[in-house]
Amino acid sequence: MAKALMQAGHHPDHLFGTSAGALNAAWLAAEPTLEGLEVLASLWTAVRRRDVFPLNASVAIGGLAGWGDHLVSSRPLAKWLRSTVPLRRLEDGVLPLTVVTTDLETGEEVLLDRGPAVPALLASSAMPAVFPPVLIGGRWLIDGSVVSDTPVGPAVGAGADRIFVLPSVPAGHMPRPRSPLNVLLRSAAISLARHDLDSVTAWSGRCQLYVLPAPLVAGVSPFSFGRSPELIEAAYRLTSEWLTGAQPVAPGAPASGVDGPPAAANLQDRTEER
């Protein structure tokens, strides 16, 4: 999606990311070029679930038994991030970057734009009960999508008047998930989609808000690491076609593209049309 937008002249000047979108936003903030996007695509093509989402019986049983607060260790994900994310600190990017997290104790939205990058990205991606919360600045932080999967509000608050939302989970019917993990991911996607719809409707009158269509590949789950090349290619083609007649969401009107939760990086562009 980002590649198609940039090729059409829509270059971001501030990036907001939640959950997996925070990982993409962090990379793009450091390398906001078409060449940088090619490297990012290669990373997602090479990674496998075991690299970032390992299932370990002892960890899972400990969590289910109440001996811990998570079911999956975040150490492999942290290791992968340290080896792939080009930012050491959030403020080191070429573009401003804001990572969205949730305070587990207060339920407040917490925006991070300074400090070590890897802990912030782990916090934004810490799915409740799946990954452990991350302690940053004296606050236990979890997945930002709990309160703001589509962080349009923070972008408008930062001065944005033209925003592109990049969802990664399509609307409509998808194949029935077969594993407990995929059932969890799909269930979260359904729940978050309703919140995203409300968010887009609420903010559409405050800015030019564009919601891109999420890619749908027949028989392929959007959560499938092994099918990343097909999903990336489908997203590029669909976005390129959508751009030929793209219109902002009408004030107060729901966006048809927000029936699935935006999990990819949000691109914000305050420049004039090129």
Side-chain angles (χ1 to χ4, degrees):
M1 293 179 180
K3 178 181 178 181
L5 283 171
M6 291 173 66
Q7 285 181 336
H10 303 295
H11 295 273
D13 56 21
H14 195 145
L15 293 149
F16 290 78
T18 299
S19 195
L23 312 187
N24 288 325
W27 181 274
L28 190 55
E31 300 284 347
T33 64
L34 291 174
E35 291 77 14
L37 286 173
E38 290 297 333
V39 177
L40 177 59
S42 68
L43 291 174
W44 282 119
T45 299
V47 71
R48 292 294 178 265
R49 178 168 291 175
R50 63 180 177 273
D51 298 324
V52 296
F53 220 123
L55 298 179
N56 181 284
S58 61
V59 175
I61 291 173
L64 292 172
W67 302 331
D69 57 9
H70 58 282
L71 301 175
V72 178
S73 171
S74 62
R75 291 181 180 177
L77 176 57
K79 180 180 178 181
W80 185 73
L81 289 173
R82 284 193 293 269
S83 65
T84 57
V85 174
L87 297 179
R88 293 182 61 86
R89 299 180 62 84
L90 297 177
E91 64 268 30
D92 289 344
V94 176
L95 299 177
L97 168 67
T98 300
V99 172
V100 183
T101 67
T102 302
D103 187 312
L104 181 59
E105 297 179 321
T106 68
E108 296 176 318
E109 176 184 76
V110 178
L111 306 178
L112 304 175
D113 57 14
R114 302 187 67 81
V118 170
L121 298 176
L122 285 174
S124 187
S125 306
M127 296 176 61
V130 178
F131 285 125
V134 179
L135 183 63
I136 299 177
R139 309 178 80 168
W140 288 103
L141 304 179
I142 59 172
D143 198 320
S145 64
V146 173
V147 293
S148 186
D149 193 55
T150 308
V152 177
V156 172
D161 54 32
R162 191 156 172 263
I163 299 173
F164 290 91
V165 176
L166 280 64
S168 62
V169 179
H173 176 79
M174 287 195 298
R176 174 193 168 192
R178 296 295 179 178
S179 71
L181 179 57
N182 279 335
V183 170
L184 173 64
L185 292 172
R186 179 57 177 155
S187 299
I190 294 170
S191 177
L192 291 172
R194 302 298 177 258
H195 180 273
D196 295 333
L197 181 61
D198 292 340
S199 176
V200 167
T201 302
W203 291 104
S204 57
R206 298 280 300 275
C207 62
Q208 285 189 9
L209 182 58
Y210 296 83
V211 180
L212 279 66
L216 178 61
V217 178
V220 176
S221 166
F223 309 111
S224 174
F225 287 83
R227 308 293 288 275
S228 292
E230 296 167 71
L231 293 168
I232 290 170
E233 178 60 27
Y236 175 74
R237 291 198 311 269
L238 188 59
T239 301
S240 298
E241 295 169 0
W242 172 84
L243 280 167
T244 61
Q247 294 291 330
V249 178
S256 60
V258 189
D259 294 320
N266 295 330
L267 286 180
Q268 172 189 12
D269 183 358
R270 296 198 296 266
T271 61
E272 295 296 325
E273 287 280 2
R274 292 171 174 80

